[in-house]
Amino acid sequence: MRPHALVCVPFLLLAAAGCASPAHRPPAPAPDDVVRAAQQRLTDRCLARQGLTPPRPGDRPPSTAERDRVTRALFGTGRTELSLTLSTGHVVRAHTDGCLATAQRALYGDQKRWFRVSTVVNNLKPEAAHAHRPLSEVRAAHRADLTTWHQLRARALRNAETILNADRPTPSRKP
């Protein structure tokens, strides 16, 4: 018997579940996880092209100068190009020149539209609380934003799957 051969154990408890087979696949990752993984891959590549090491939990902390270089490369520099004032009075801003912006354009297609609708959609609960209105009423008032958010999110998921699958090695087939 080979040391790594698949063995089915005929216990009563396992009988209902059957044997694990090589064809068994783990559940598909959540769409948010797929998009996040692709965004991480894109931002890592962008940083690496600039000779920077993407930060990872558990890594030795970089010098202050290196951390500043990574931050500027990741989030952009200069004047903030995107800005949106929410109904709560808070202002949200973003750059269009960093690695994160580049990744968002690759995933969502239109960074400016994605910035606007995602900022609005991600702040519906605070808007409802601020206006003392039910969330359902606020969501109804932003129906067009929610529709655009879903469309851009679907596009990002398709693009993310393409990006992640392009790097996946093709399995070798046994004769």
mmCIF file with all atom_site columns, all heavy atoms in Angstrom, residues 84-87 92 113-127 138 141-146 149:
data_model
loop_
_atom_site.group_PDB
_atom_site.id
_atom_site.type_symbol
_atom_site.label_atom_id
_atom_site.label_alt_id
_atom_site.label_comp_id
_atom_site.label_asym_id
_atom_site.label_entity_id
_atom_site.label_seq_id
_atom_site.pdbx_PDB_ins_code
_atom_site.Cartn_x
_atom_site.Cartn_y
_atom_site.Cartn_z
_atom_site.occupancy
_atom_site.B_iso_or_equiv
_atom_site.pdbx_formal_charge
_atom_site.auth_seq_id
_atom_site.auth_comp_id
_atom_site.auth_asym_id
_atom_site.auth_atom_id
_atom_site.pdbx_PDB_model_num
ATOM 1   N N   . LEU A 1 84  ? -16.134 63.270 -1.636  1.00 0.00 ? 84  LEU A N   1
ATOM 2   C CA  . LEU A 1 84  ? -17.577 63.193 -1.547  1.00 0.00 ? 84  LEU A CA  1
ATOM 3   C C   . LEU A 1 84  ? -17.995 63.602 -0.135  1.00 0.00 ? 84  LEU A C   1
ATOM 4   O O   . LEU A 1 84  ? -17.482 63.060 0.840   1.00 0.00 ? 84  LEU A O   1
ATOM 5   C CB  . LEU A 1 84  ? -18.063 61.764 -1.839  1.00 0.00 ? 84  LEU A CB  1
ATOM 6   C CG  . LEU A 1 84  ? -19.574 61.545 -1.809  1.00 0.00 ? 84  LEU A CG  1
ATOM 7   C CD1 . LEU A 1 84  ? -20.259 62.316 -2.928  1.00 0.00 ? 84  LEU A CD1 1
ATOM 8   C CD2 . LEU A 1 84  ? -19.885 60.068 -1.911  1.00 0.00 ? 84  LEU A CD2 1
ATOM 9   N N   . THR A 1 85  ? -18.895 64.571 -0.053  1.00 0.00 ? 85  THR A N   1
ATOM 10  C CA  . THR A 1 85  ? -19.444 64.985 1.230   1.00 0.00 ? 85  THR A CA  1
ATOM 11  C C   . THR A 1 85  ? -20.740 64.215 1.453   1.00 0.00 ? 85  THR A C   1
ATOM 12  O O   . THR A 1 85  ? -21.671 64.291 0.649   1.00 0.00 ? 85  THR A O   1
ATOM 13  C CB  . THR A 1 85  ? -19.715 66.500 1.253   1.00 0.00 ? 85  THR A CB  1
ATOM 14  O OG1 . THR A 1 85  ? -18.492 67.193 0.987   1.00 0.00 ? 85  THR A OG1 1
ATOM 15  C CG2 . THR A 1 85  ? -20.255 66.938 2.620   1.00 0.00 ? 85  THR A CG2 1
ATOM 16  N N   . LEU A 1 86  ? -20.781 63.456 2.540   1.00 0.00 ? 86  LEU A N   1
ATOM 17  C CA  . LEU A 1 86  ? -21.949 62.649 2.870   1.00 0.00 ? 86  LEU A CA  1
ATOM 18  C C   . LEU A 1 86  ? -23.025 63.506 3.524   1.00 0.00 ? 86  LEU A C   1
ATOM 19  O O   . LEU A 1 86  ? -22.744 64.602 4.019   1.00 0.00 ? 86  LEU A O   1
ATOM 20  C CB  . LEU A 1 86  ? -21.538 61.514 3.809   1.00 0.00 ? 86  LEU A CB  1
ATOM 21  C CG  . LEU A 1 86  ? -20.485 60.554 3.252   1.00 0.00 ? 86  LEU A CG  1
ATOM 22  C CD1 . LEU A 1 86  ? -19.986 59.622 4.346   1.00 0.00 ? 86  LEU A CD1 1
ATOM 23  C CD2 . LEU A 1 86  ? -21.068 59.767 2.090   1.00 0.00 ? 86  LEU A CD2 1
ATOM 24  N N   . SER A 1 87  ? -24.233 62.987 3.572   1.00 0.00 ? 87  SER A N   1
ATOM 25  C CA  . SER A 1 87  ? -25.331 63.723 4.198   1.00 0.00 ? 87  SER A CA  1
ATOM 26  C C   . SER A 1 87  ? -25.084 63.932 5.692   1.00 0.00 ? 87  SER A C   1
ATOM 27  O O   . SER A 1 87  ? -25.671 64.828 6.293   1.00 0.00 ? 87  SER A O   1
ATOM 28  C CB  . SER A 1 87  ? -26.654 62.992 3.983   1.00 0.00 ? 87  SER A CB  1
ATOM 29  O OG  . SER A 1 87  ? -26.607 61.733 4.622   1.00 0.00 ? 87  SER A OG  1
ATOM 30  N N   . VAL A 1 92  ? -15.298 62.268 2.570   1.00 0.00 ? 92  VAL A N   1
ATOM 31  C CA  . VAL A 1 92  ? -14.452 61.117 2.259   1.00 0.00 ? 92  VAL A CA  1
ATOM 32  C C   . VAL A 1 92  ? -13.645 61.478 1.022   1.00 0.00 ? 92  VAL A C   1
ATOM 33  O O   . VAL A 1 92  ? -14.191 61.996 0.048   1.00 0.00 ? 92  VAL A O   1
ATOM 34  C CB  . VAL A 1 92  ? -15.301 59.848 2.013   1.00 0.00 ? 92  VAL A CB  1
ATOM 35  C CG1 . VAL A 1 92  ? -14.412 58.658 1.697   1.00 0.00 ? 92  VAL A CG1 1
ATOM 36  C CG2 . VAL A 1 92  ? -16.193 59.556 3.212   1.00 0.00 ? 92  VAL A CG2 1
ATOM 37  N N   . ARG A 1 113 ? -16.596 56.371 -10.356 1.00 0.00 ? 113 ARG A N   1
ATOM 38  C CA  . ARG A 1 113 ? -17.954 55.877 -10.068 1.00 0.00 ? 113 ARG A CA  1
ATOM 39  C C   . ARG A 1 113 ? -17.953 54.928 -8.884  1.00 0.00 ? 113 ARG A C   1
ATOM 40  O O   . ARG A 1 113 ? -18.837 54.992 -8.026  1.00 0.00 ? 113 ARG A O   1
ATOM 41  C CB  . ARG A 1 113 ? -18.523 55.143 -11.290 1.00 0.00 ? 113 ARG A CB  1
ATOM 42  C CG  . ARG A 1 113 ? -19.333 56.047 -12.179 1.00 0.00 ? 113 ARG A CG  1
ATOM 43  C CD  . ARG A 1 113 ? -19.877 55.338 -13.400 1.00 0.00 ? 113 ARG A CD  1
ATOM 44  N NE  . ARG A 1 113 ? -20.927 54.394 -13.066 1.00 0.00 ? 113 ARG A NE  1
ATOM 45  C CZ  . ARG A 1 113 ? -21.293 53.408 -13.864 1.00 0.00 ? 113 ARG A CZ  1
ATOM 46  N NH1 . ARG A 1 113 ? -20.675 53.215 -15.016 1.00 0.00 ? 113 ARG A NH1 1
ATOM 47  N NH2 . ARG A 1 113 ? -22.262 52.595 -13.522 1.00 0.00 ? 113 ARG A NH2 1
ATOM 48  N N   . TRP A 1 114 ? -16.960 54.021 -8.840  1.00 0.00 ? 114 TRP A N   1
ATOM 49  C CA  . TRP A 1 114 ? -16.884 53.067 -7.730  1.00 0.00 ? 114 TRP A CA  1
ATOM 50  C C   . TRP A 1 114 ? -16.685 53.802 -6.405  1.00 0.00 ? 114 TRP A C   1
ATOM 51  O O   . TRP A 1 114 ? -17.335 53.482 -5.418  1.00 0.00 ? 114 TRP A O   1
ATOM 52  C CB  . TRP A 1 114 ? -15.782 52.046 -7.943  1.00 0.00 ? 114 TRP A CB  1
ATOM 53  C CG  . TRP A 1 114 ? -15.621 51.175 -6.741  1.00 0.00 ? 114 TRP A CG  1
ATOM 54  C CD1 . TRP A 1 114 ? -14.570 51.134 -5.880  1.00 0.00 ? 114 TRP A CD1 1
ATOM 55  C CD2 . TRP A 1 114 ? -16.566 50.225 -6.231  1.00 0.00 ? 114 TRP A CD2 1
ATOM 56  N NE1 . TRP A 1 114 ? -14.804 50.239 -4.869  1.00 0.00 ? 114 TRP A NE1 1
ATOM 57  C CE2 . TRP A 1 114 ? -16.034 49.669 -5.067  1.00 0.00 ? 114 TRP A CE2 1
ATOM 58  C CE3 . TRP A 1 114 ? -17.841 49.817 -6.645  1.00 0.00 ? 114 TRP A CE3 1
ATOM 59  C CZ2 . TRP A 1 114 ? -16.708 48.705 -4.316  1.00 0.00 ? 114 TRP A CZ2 1
ATOM 60  C CZ3 . TRP A 1 114 ? -18.504 48.852 -5.896  1.00 0.00 ? 114 TRP A CZ3 1
ATOM 61  C CH2 . TRP A 1 114 ? -17.941 48.319 -4.753  1.00 0.00 ? 114 TRP A CH2 1
ATOM 62  N N   . PHE A 1 115 ? -15.811 54.786 -6.393  1.00 0.00 ? 115 PHE A N   1
ATOM 63  C CA  . PHE A 1 115 ? -15.582 55.560 -5.182  1.00 0.00 ? 115 PHE A CA  1
ATOM 64  C C   . PHE A 1 115 ? -16.891 56.187 -4.703  1.00 0.00 ? 115 PHE A C   1
ATOM 65  O O   . PHE A 1 115 ? -17.257 56.081 -3.534  1.00 0.00 ? 115 PHE A O   1
ATOM 66  C CB  . PHE A 1 115 ? -14.521 56.644 -5.425  1.00 0.00 ? 115 PHE A CB  1
ATOM 67  C CG  . PHE A 1 115 ? -14.429 57.654 -4.319  1.00 0.00 ? 115 PHE A CG  1
ATOM 68  C CD1 . PHE A 1 115 ? -13.756 57.352 -3.142  1.00 0.00 ? 115 PHE A CD1 1
ATOM 69  C CD2 . PHE A 1 115 ? -15.030 58.896 -4.437  1.00 0.00 ? 115 PHE A CD2 1
ATOM 70  C CE1 . PHE A 1 115 ? -13.683 58.281 -2.104  1.00 0.00 ? 115 PHE A CE1 1
ATOM 71  C CE2 . PHE A 1 115 ? -14.969 59.829 -3.405  1.00 0.00 ? 115 PHE A CE2 1
ATOM 72  C CZ  . PHE A 1 115 ? -14.290 59.513 -2.237  1.00 0.00 ? 115 PHE A CZ  1
ATOM 73  N N   . ARG A 1 116 ? -17.596 56.832 -5.610  1.00 0.00 ? 116 ARG A N   1
ATOM 74  C CA  . ARG A 1 116 ? -18.826 57.518 -5.219  1.00 0.00 ? 116 ARG A CA  1
ATOM 75  C C   . ARG A 1 116 ? -19.886 56.559 -4.701  1.00 0.00 ? 116 ARG A C   1
ATOM 76  O O   . ARG A 1 116 ? -20.397 56.711 -3.596  1.00 0.00 ? 116 ARG A O   1
ATOM 77  C CB  . ARG A 1 116 ? -19.383 58.348 -6.386  1.00 0.00 ? 116 ARG A CB  1
ATOM 78  C CG  . ARG A 1 116 ? -20.455 59.346 -5.941  1.00 0.00 ? 116 ARG A CG  1
ATOM 79  C CD  . ARG A 1 116 ? -21.167 60.020 -7.097  1.00 0.00 ? 116 ARG A CD  1
ATOM 80  N NE  . ARG A 1 116 ? -22.071 59.140 -7.818  1.00 0.00 ? 116 ARG A NE  1
ATOM 81  C CZ  . ARG A 1 116 ? -23.199 58.639 -7.313  1.00 0.00 ? 116 ARG A CZ  1
ATOM 82  N NH1 . ARG A 1 116 ? -23.550 58.897 -6.094  1.00 0.00 ? 116 ARG A NH1 1
ATOM 83  N NH2 . ARG A 1 116 ? -23.960 57.864 -8.049  1.00 0.00 ? 116 ARG A NH2 1
ATOM 84  N N   . VAL A 1 117 ? -20.217 55.517 -5.490  1.00 0.00 ? 117 VAL A N   1
ATOM 85  C CA  . VAL A 1 117 ? -21.312 54.634 -5.062  1.00 0.00 ? 117 VAL A CA  1
ATOM 86  C C   . VAL A 1 117 ? -20.925 53.775 -3.865  1.00 0.00 ? 117 VAL A C   1
ATOM 87  O O   . VAL A 1 117 ? -21.757 53.534 -2.994  1.00 0.00 ? 117 VAL A O   1
ATOM 88  C CB  . VAL A 1 117 ? -21.889 53.768 -6.205  1.00 0.00 ? 117 VAL A CB  1
ATOM 89  C CG1 . VAL A 1 117 ? -22.490 54.625 -7.287  1.00 0.00 ? 117 VAL A CG1 1
ATOM 90  C CG2 . VAL A 1 117 ? -20.903 52.781 -6.743  1.00 0.00 ? 117 VAL A CG2 1
ATOM 91  N N   . SER A 1 118 ? -19.686 53.340 -3.788  1.00 0.00 ? 118 SER A N   1
ATOM 92  C CA  . SER A 1 118 ? -19.302 52.516 -2.632  1.00 0.00 ? 118 SER A CA  1
ATOM 93  C C   . SER A 1 118 ? -19.276 53.356 -1.356  1.00 0.00 ? 118 SER A C   1
ATOM 94  O O   . SER A 1 118 ? -19.649 52.871 -0.284  1.00 0.00 ? 118 SER A O   1
ATOM 95  C CB  . SER A 1 118 ? -17.955 51.823 -2.858  1.00 0.00 ? 118 SER A CB  1
ATOM 96  O OG  . SER A 1 118 ? -16.897 52.749 -2.931  1.00 0.00 ? 118 SER A OG  1
ATOM 97  N N   . THR A 1 119 ? -18.882 54.612 -1.461  1.00 0.00 ? 119 THR A N   1
ATOM 98  C CA  . THR A 1 119 ? -18.893 55.495 -0.291  1.00 0.00 ? 119 THR A CA  1
ATOM 99  C C   . THR A 1 119 ? -20.329 55.728 0.168   1.00 0.00 ? 119 THR A C   1
ATOM 100 O O   . THR A 1 119 ? -20.624 55.649 1.365   1.00 0.00 ? 119 THR A O   1
ATOM 101 C CB  . THR A 1 119 ? -18.194 56.830 -0.618  1.00 0.00 ? 119 THR A CB  1
ATOM 102 O OG1 . THR A 1 119 ? -16.842 56.547 -1.017  1.00 0.00 ? 119 THR A OG1 1
ATOM 103 C CG2 . THR A 1 119 ? -18.167 57.749 0.588   1.00 0.00 ? 119 THR A CG2 1
ATOM 104 N N   . VAL A 1 120 ? -21.227 55.979 -0.764  1.00 0.00 ? 120 VAL A N   1
ATOM 105 C CA  . VAL A 1 120 ? -22.637 56.185 -0.416  1.00 0.00 ? 120 VAL A CA  1
ATOM 106 C C   . VAL A 1 120 ? -23.225 54.909 0.201   1.00 0.00 ? 120 VAL A C   1
ATOM 107 O O   . VAL A 1 120 ? -23.824 54.938 1.281   1.00 0.00 ? 120 VAL A O   1
ATOM 108 C CB  . VAL A 1 120 ? -23.460 56.630 -1.646  1.00 0.00 ? 120 VAL A CB  1
ATOM 109 C CG1 . VAL A 1 120 ? -24.955 56.576 -1.360  1.00 0.00 ? 120 VAL A CG1 1
ATOM 110 C CG2 . VAL A 1 120 ? -23.047 58.031 -2.075  1.00 0.00 ? 120 VAL A CG2 1
ATOM 111 N N   . VAL A 1 121 ? -23.054 53.782 -0.487  1.00 0.00 ? 121 VAL A N   1
ATOM 112 C CA  . VAL A 1 121 ? -23.641 52.514 -0.026  1.00 0.00 ? 121 VAL A CA  1
ATOM 113 C C   . VAL A 1 121 ? -23.065 52.104 1.330   1.00 0.00 ? 121 VAL A C   1
ATOM 114 O O   . VAL A 1 121 ? -23.794 51.626 2.203   1.00 0.00 ? 121 VAL A O   1
ATOM 115 C CB  . VAL A 1 121 ? -23.453 51.411 -1.089  1.00 0.00 ? 121 VAL A CB  1
ATOM 116 C CG1 . VAL A 1 121 ? -23.777 50.035 -0.542  1.00 0.00 ? 121 VAL A CG1 1
ATOM 117 C CG2 . VAL A 1 121 ? -24.313 51.729 -2.313  1.00 0.00 ? 121 VAL A CG2 1
ATOM 118 N N   . ASN A 1 122 ? -21.779 52.295 1.529   1.00 0.00 ? 122 ASN A N   1
ATOM 119 C CA  . ASN A 1 122 ? -21.156 51.916 2.801   1.00 0.00 ? 122 ASN A CA  1
ATOM 120 C C   . ASN A 1 122 ? -21.550 52.833 3.953   1.00 0.00 ? 122 ASN A C   1
ATOM 121 O O   . ASN A 1 122 ? -21.222 52.550 5.106   1.00 0.00 ? 122 ASN A O   1
ATOM 122 C CB  . ASN A 1 122 ? -19.636 51.874 2.666   1.00 0.00 ? 122 ASN A CB  1
ATOM 123 C CG  . ASN A 1 122 ? -19.176 50.717 1.815   1.00 0.00 ? 122 ASN A CG  1
ATOM 124 O OD1 . ASN A 1 122 ? -19.832 49.690 1.747   1.00 0.00 ? 122 ASN A OD1 1
ATOM 125 N ND2 . ASN A 1 122 ? -18.055 50.889 1.154   1.00 0.00 ? 122 ASN A ND2 1
ATOM 126 N N   . ASN A 1 123 ? -22.244 53.916 3.653   1.00 0.00 ? 123 ASN A N   1
ATOM 127 C CA  . ASN A 1 123 ? -22.644 54.864 4.690   1.00 0.00 ? 123 ASN A CA  1
ATOM 128 C C   . ASN A 1 123 ? -24.157 55.039 4.791   1.00 0.00 ? 123 ASN A C   1
ATOM 129 O O   . ASN A 1 123 ? -24.639 56.044 5.329   1.00 0.00 ? 123 ASN A O   1
ATOM 130 C CB  . ASN A 1 123 ? -21.960 56.222 4.439   1.00 0.00 ? 123 ASN A CB  1
ATOM 131 C CG  . ASN A 1 123 ? -20.501 56.159 4.806   1.00 0.00 ? 123 ASN A CG  1
ATOM 132 O OD1 . ASN A 1 123 ? -20.158 56.221 5.976   1.00 0.00 ? 123 ASN A OD1 1
ATOM 133 N ND2 . ASN A 1 123 ? -19.650 56.001 3.806   1.00 0.00 ? 123 ASN A ND2 1
ATOM 134 N N   . LEU A 1 124 ? -24.920 54.066 4.321   1.00 0.00 ? 124 LEU A N   1
ATOM 135 C CA  . LEU A 1 124 ? -26.374 54.160 4.406   1.00 0.00 ? 124 LEU A CA  1
ATOM 136 C C   . LEU A 1 124 ? -26.866 54.112 5.859   1.00 0.00 ? 124 LEU A C   1
ATOM 137 O O   . LEU A 1 124 ? -27.763 54.865 6.231   1.00 0.00 ? 124 LEU A O   1
ATOM 138 C CB  . LEU A 1 124 ? -27.036 53.061 3.575   1.00 0.00 ? 124 LEU A CB  1
ATOM 139 C CG  . LEU A 1 124 ? -26.846 53.178 2.060   1.00 0.00 ? 124 LEU A CG  1
ATOM 140 C CD1 . LEU A 1 124 ? -27.489 51.987 1.361   1.00 0.00 ? 124 LEU A CD1 1
ATOM 141 C CD2 . LEU A 1 124 ? -27.398 54.490 1.536   1.00 0.00 ? 124 LEU A CD2 1
ATOM 142 N N   . LYS A 1 125 ? -26.283 53.242 6.674   1.00 0.00 ? 125 LYS A N   1
ATOM 143 C CA  . LYS A 1 125 ? -26.709 53.161 8.080   1.00 0.00 ? 125 LYS A CA  1
ATOM 144 C C   . LYS A 1 125 ? -26.414 54.460 8.831   1.00 0.00 ? 125 LYS A C   1
ATOM 145 O O   . LYS A 1 125 ? -27.302 54.974 9.523   1.00 0.00 ? 125 LYS A O   1
ATOM 146 C CB  . LYS A 1 125 ? -26.051 51.975 8.781   1.00 0.00 ? 125 LYS A CB  1
ATOM 147 C CG  . LYS A 1 125 ? -26.659 50.653 8.408   1.00 0.00 ? 125 LYS A CG  1
ATOM 148 C CD  . LYS A 1 125 ? -26.018 49.510 9.164   1.00 0.00 ? 125 LYS A CD  1
ATOM 149 C CE  . LYS A 1 125 ? -26.593 48.189 8.724   1.00 0.00 ? 125 LYS A CE  1
ATOM 150 N NZ  . LYS A 1 125 ? -25.967 47.060 9.416   1.00 0.00 ? 125 LYS A NZ  1
ATOM 151 N N   . PRO A 1 126 ? -25.194 55.023 8.701   1.00 0.00 ? 126 PRO A N   1
ATOM 152 C CA  . PRO A 1 126 ? -24.961 56.310 9.363   1.00 0.00 ? 126 PRO A CA  1
ATOM 153 C C   . PRO A 1 126 ? -25.896 57.409 8.854   1.00 0.00 ? 126 PRO A C   1
ATOM 154 O O   . PRO A 1 126 ? -26.342 58.257 9.628   1.00 0.00 ? 126 PRO A O   1
ATOM 155 C CB  . PRO A 1 126 ? -23.499 56.630 9.043   1.00 0.00 ? 126 PRO A CB  1
ATOM 156 C CG  . PRO A 1 126 ? -22.867 55.315 8.778   1.00 0.00 ? 126 PRO A CG  1
ATOM 157 C CD  . PRO A 1 126 ? -23.950 54.474 8.156   1.00 0.00 ? 126 PRO A CD  1
ATOM 158 N N   . GLU A 1 127 ? -26.221 57.385 7.557   1.00 0.00 ? 127 GLU A N   1
ATOM 159 C CA  . GLU A 1 127 ? -27.151 58.384 7.019   1.00 0.00 ? 127 GLU A CA  1
ATOM 160 C C   . GLU A 1 127 ? -28.532 58.228 7.656   1.00 0.00 ? 127 GLU A C   1
ATOM 161 O O   . GLU A 1 127 ? -29.160 59.216 8.044   1.00 0.00 ? 127 GLU A O   1
ATOM 162 C CB  . GLU A 1 127 ? -27.265 58.257 5.494   1.00 0.00 ? 127 GLU A CB  1
ATOM 163 C CG  . GLU A 1 127 ? -28.229 59.249 4.887   1.00 0.00 ? 127 GLU A CG  1
ATOM 164 C CD  . GLU A 1 127 ? -28.347 59.145 3.374   1.00 0.00 ? 127 GLU A CD  1
ATOM 165 O OE1 . GLU A 1 127 ? -27.419 58.645 2.719   1.00 0.00 ? 127 GLU A OE1 1
ATOM 166 O OE2 . GLU A 1 127 ? -29.387 59.593 2.848   1.00 0.00 ? 127 GLU A OE2 1
ATOM 167 N N   . VAL A 1 138 ? -34.003 54.997 3.541   1.00 0.00 ? 138 VAL A N   1
ATOM 168 C CA  . VAL A 1 138 ? -32.749 55.537 2.997   1.00 0.00 ? 138 VAL A CA  1
ATOM 169 C C   . VAL A 1 138 ? -32.282 54.681 1.822   1.00 0.00 ? 138 VAL A C   1
ATOM 170 O O   . VAL A 1 138 ? -31.856 55.204 0.793   1.00 0.00 ? 138 VAL A O   1
ATOM 171 C CB  . VAL A 1 138 ? -31.672 55.624 4.104   1.00 0.00 ? 138 VAL A CB  1
ATOM 172 C CG1 . VAL A 1 138 ? -30.314 56.010 3.528   1.00 0.00 ? 138 VAL A CG1 1
ATOM 173 C CG2 . VAL A 1 138 ? -32.103 56.626 5.175   1.00 0.00 ? 138 VAL A CG2 1
ATOM 174 N N   . ALA A 1 141 ? -34.254 55.533 -1.197  1.00 0.00 ? 141 ALA A N   1
ATOM 175 C CA  . ALA A 1 141 ? -33.830 56.817 -1.772  1.00 0.00 ? 141 ALA A CA  1
ATOM 176 C C   . ALA A 1 141 ? -32.538 56.675 -2.579  1.00 0.00 ? 141 ALA A C   1
ATOM 177 O O   . ALA A 1 141 ? -32.260 57.493 -3.458  1.00 0.00 ? 141 ALA A O   1
ATOM 178 C CB  . ALA A 1 141 ? -33.648 57.849 -0.658  1.00 0.00 ? 141 ALA A CB  1
ATOM 179 N N   . HIS A 1 142 ? -31.760 55.636 -2.287  1.00 0.00 ? 142 HIS A N   1
ATOM 180 C CA  . HIS A 1 142 ? -30.479 55.418 -2.986  1.00 0.00 ? 142 HIS A CA  1
ATOM 181 C C   . HIS A 1 142 ? -30.540 54.192 -3.901  1.00 0.00 ? 142 HIS A C   1
ATOM 182 O O   . HIS A 1 142 ? -29.512 53.560 -4.169  1.00 0.00 ? 142 HIS A O   1
ATOM 183 C CB  . HIS A 1 142 ? -29.346 55.261 -1.969  1.00 0.00 ? 142 HIS A CB  1
ATOM 184 C CG  . HIS A 1 142 ? -28.985 56.525 -1.275  1.00 0.00 ? 142 HIS A CG  1
ATOM 185 N ND1 . HIS A 1 142 ? -28.283 57.536 -1.900  1.00 0.00 ? 142 HIS A ND1 1
ATOM 186 C CD2 . HIS A 1 142 ? -29.237 56.961 -0.018  1.00 0.00 ? 142 HIS A CD2 1
ATOM 187 C CE1 . HIS A 1 142 ? -28.108 58.531 -1.048  1.00 0.00 ? 142 HIS A CE1 1
ATOM 188 N NE2 . HIS A 1 142 ? -28.685 58.213 0.105   1.00 0.00 ? 142 HIS A NE2 1
ATOM 189 N N   . ARG A 1 143 ? -31.730 53.889 -4.395  1.00 0.00 ? 143 ARG A N   1
ATOM 190 C CA  . ARG A 1 143 ? -31.900 52.702 -5.246  1.00 0.00 ? 143 ARG A CA  1
ATOM 191 C C   . ARG A 1 143 ? -30.960 52.722 -6.455  1.00 0.00 ? 143 ARG A C   1
ATOM 192 O O   . ARG A 1 143 ? -30.337 51.722 -6.793  1.00 0.00 ? 143 ARG A O   1
ATOM 193 C CB  . ARG A 1 143 ? -33.357 52.596 -5.700  1.00 0.00 ? 143 ARG A CB  1
ATOM 194 C CG  . ARG A 1 143 ? -33.697 51.298 -6.383  1.00 0.00 ? 143 ARG A CG  1
ATOM 195 C CD  . ARG A 1 143 ? -35.166 51.197 -6.807  1.00 0.00 ? 143 ARG A CD  1
ATOM 196 N NE  . ARG A 1 143 ? -36.081 52.018 -6.051  1.00 0.00 ? 143 ARG A NE  1
ATOM 197 C CZ  . ARG A 1 143 ? -36.777 51.618 -4.975  1.00 0.00 ? 143 ARG A CZ  1
ATOM 198 N NH1 . ARG A 1 143 ? -36.628 50.399 -4.542  1.00 0.00 ? 143 ARG A NH1 1
ATOM 199 N NH2 . ARG A 1 143 ? -37.608 52.433 -4.364  1.00 0.00 ? 143 ARG A NH2 1
ATOM 200 N N   . ALA A 1 144 ? -30.806 53.852 -7.100  1.00 0.00 ? 144 ALA A N   1
ATOM 201 C CA  . ALA A 1 144 ? -29.920 53.943 -8.277  1.00 0.00 ? 144 ALA A CA  1
ATOM 202 C C   . ALA A 1 144 ? -28.467 53.687 -7.879  1.00 0.00 ? 144 ALA A C   1
ATOM 203 O O   . ALA A 1 144 ? -27.734 52.991 -8.601  1.00 0.00 ? 144 ALA A O   1
ATOM 204 C CB  . ALA A 1 144 ? -30.058 55.311 -8.944  1.00 0.00 ? 144 ALA A CB  1
ATOM 205 N N   . ASP A 1 145 ? -28.045 54.236 -6.735  1.00 0.00 ? 145 ASP A N   1
ATOM 206 C CA  . ASP A 1 145 ? -26.677 53.985 -6.258  1.00 0.00 ? 145 ASP A CA  1
ATOM 207 C C   . ASP A 1 145 ? -26.470 52.497 -5.962  1.00 0.00 ? 145 ASP A C   1
ATOM 208 O O   . ASP A 1 145 ? -25.422 51.932 -6.289  1.00 0.00 ? 145 ASP A O   1
ATOM 209 C CB  . ASP A 1 145 ? -26.386 54.792 -4.984  1.00 0.00 ? 145 ASP A CB  1
ATOM 210 C CG  . ASP A 1 145 ? -26.281 56.283 -5.254  1.00 0.00 ? 145 ASP A CG  1
ATOM 211 O OD1 . ASP A 1 145 ? -25.753 56.672 -6.319  1.00 0.00 ? 145 ASP A OD1 1
ATOM 212 O OD2 . ASP A 1 145 ? -26.732 57.059 -4.391  1.00 0.00 ? 145 ASP A OD2 1
ATOM 213 N N   . LEU A 1 146 ? -27.464 51.879 -5.342  1.00 0.00 ? 146 LEU A N   1
ATOM 214 C CA  . LEU A 1 146 ? -27.363 50.443 -5.028  1.00 0.00 ? 146 LEU A CA  1
ATOM 215 C C   . LEU A 1 146 ? -27.288 49.607 -6.303  1.00 0.00 ? 146 LEU A C   1
ATOM 216 O O   . LEU A 1 146 ? -26.513 48.650 -6.384  1.00 0.00 ? 146 LEU A O   1
ATOM 217 C CB  . LEU A 1 146 ? -28.536 50.005 -4.155  1.00 0.00 ? 146 LEU A CB  1
ATOM 218 C CG  . LEU A 1 146 ? -28.458 50.467 -2.704  1.00 0.00 ? 146 LEU A CG  1
ATOM 219 C CD1 . LEU A 1 146 ? -29.812 50.386 -2.026  1.00 0.00 ? 146 LEU A CD1 1
ATOM 220 C CD2 . LEU A 1 146 ? -27.424 49.648 -1.953  1.00 0.00 ? 146 LEU A CD2 1
ATOM 221 N N   . TRP A 1 149 ? -23.851 50.076 -7.701  1.00 0.00 ? 149 TRP A N   1
ATOM 222 C CA  . TRP A 1 149 ? -22.913 49.352 -6.825  1.00 0.00 ? 149 TRP A CA  1
ATOM 223 C C   . TRP A 1 149 ? -22.904 47.870 -7.190  1.00 0.00 ? 149 TRP A C   1
ATOM 224 O O   . TRP A 1 149 ? -21.840 47.269 -7.348  1.00 0.00 ? 149 TRP A O   1
ATOM 225 C CB  . TRP A 1 149 ? -23.302 49.544 -5.362  1.00 0.00 ? 149 TRP A CB  1
ATOM 226 C CG  . TRP A 1 149 ? -22.343 48.938 -4.393  1.00 0.00 ? 149 TRP A CG  1
ATOM 227 C CD1 . TRP A 1 149 ? -21.277 49.546 -3.810  1.00 0.00 ? 149 TRP A CD1 1
ATOM 228 C CD2 . TRP A 1 149 ? -22.346 47.600 -3.892  1.00 0.00 ? 149 TRP A CD2 1
ATOM 229 N NE1 . TRP A 1 149 ? -20.622 48.668 -2.977  1.00 0.00 ? 149 TRP A NE1 1
ATOM 230 C CE2 . TRP A 1 149 ? -21.266 47.471 -3.012  1.00 0.00 ? 149 TRP A CE2 1
ATOM 231 C CE3 . TRP A 1 149 ? -23.165 46.496 -4.105  1.00 0.00 ? 149 TRP A CE3 1
ATOM 232 C CZ2 . TRP A 1 149 ? -20.969 46.283 -2.346  1.00 0.00 ? 149 TRP A CZ2 1
ATOM 233 C CZ3 . TRP A 1 149 ? -22.878 45.312 -3.447  1.00 0.00 ? 149 TRP A CZ3 1
ATOM 234 C CH2 . TRP A 1 149 ? -21.787 45.211 -2.578  1.00 0.00 ? 149 TRP A CH2 1
#
